[in-house]
Amino acid sequence: MPGLLYVVATPIGNLEDITYRAVRVLGEADLIACEDTRQTRKLLDHYGIQKPAISYHEHNEMERTAELTARLLSGTVIALVSDAGMPLVSDPGYRLVKAAVENGIPVQPVPGPSAALAALAASGLPSDAFHFGGFLPSKPGQRIKALEALADEPATLIFYEAPHRIVESLEAVEQVLGARPVVVARELTKIHEEFLRGTAAQVRAQLAERDAVKGEITLLIAKATGPPPDDTPLDEAVDALMRDGTPRMDAIKQVARRRGLSKREVYDRLLQK
C-alpha cells in the first residue's frame, strides 16, 4: 500500500507562524524532505521534533525524486518542506508531487505562511485579483520583456526579488510601467520587517541611499487601471479588424470595448465620417 506525501508550509521568518496541524504532521511523518536540512533542523528543534531529514533541492531534485517516489510506493509517509513558506511556490517540489500523482500516491497540502499573500494583504494595493510571477528575470532585457508582457494585466503584480537586484528591477518598472504605485515588502514577519510604498522611482531612491539592501524581498505593482491608449482613428481601427475577417458589428464592439466607449458611440462617430 502506497504511503502519503504531505506538502507542508513552514514559517517565512517568525517561528510562531506555523499551524498546529503542520507541527503534528512533521512529528508523525517517517521522513522530512527539505531544501536545506540545517535550516529545517532549526524549526524541528524549536518544536522538539526528532525525525530524519533528507535534502531535496534544485541541484538534486531529479535524482531525489526517483528515490523518494520509491519510498512513497513502499508505504513511507513523507513531509515535503522548503526553507520558508509553501513548497513549490518558487521553490523545489513540482517533480516529486507530479511523480506522486502519476503513481497514485495521495498528496495532501498543509497550508500556511506565504510571503506573496502576506505582502499582498498588507500592501494597500487592490487584492481582488493578483498575478504571481515568481522571480523577475535577472538579465535586464528579459526583465523588461517580462514586465511589458504584463503591462495590461488587470491585477496586482507580485514578484520575489533578490536584494542585490531590487534597485535595478525598480528602474525597469519605472521604464515600462511609469508612475504606478509599488510596494517593496522586506523581511516579512521578522524583526526588521519593512514596507516601502510609492512610485517605483520614489522607492528606488529610498533604497539607493542605503549602503546595502538586505533580506527577503517581495515586490508588488499596482494593476493596470484601464485600456492602453490608442490614438488610431476609429474608422481605421474598425477597418483593420474587418480586414482580418471580423464582421463589421463585431469589429465595432471590440473597438468600443477597447476604448471604453459604447457600441452606439462608435457607430454614430463612424456615420459622421
Side-chain angles (χ1 to χ4, degrees), residues 85-107:
M86 195 71 189
L88 281 78
V89 181
S90 288
D91 276 325
Y94 165 72
R95 287 187 176 89
L96 180 57
V97 172
K98 183 174 183 289
V101 171
E102 290 175 346
N103 283 277
I105 299 163
V107 179

Side-chain angles (χ1 to χ4, degrees), residues 131-145:
H131 174 98
F132 176 67
F135 282 88
L136 281 167
S138 59
K139 294 183 178 179
Q142 294 177 1
R143 187 186 301 132
I144 291 291
K145 288 181 180 179

Side-chain angles (χ1 to χ4, degrees), residues 215-231:
E216 304 290 333
I217 289 177
T218 304
L219 170 64
L220 304 96
I221 307 167
K223 64 183 178 181
T225 56
D230 186 350
D231 298 325

Side-chain angles (χ1 to χ4, degrees), residues 9-43:
T10 56
I12 58 177
N14 193 318
L15 293 182
E16 294 179 358
D17 293 334
I18 191 168
T19 66
Y20 291 118
R21 183 186 178 205
V23 172
R24 176 181 60 79
V25 166
L26 292 174
E28 294 176 354
D30 299 315
L31 180 66
I32 299 173
C34 44
E35 277 188 273
D36 185 334
T37 55
R38 296 164 300 178
Q39 182 69 20
T40 299
R41 182 54 61 190
K42 296 175 185 176
L43 175 67

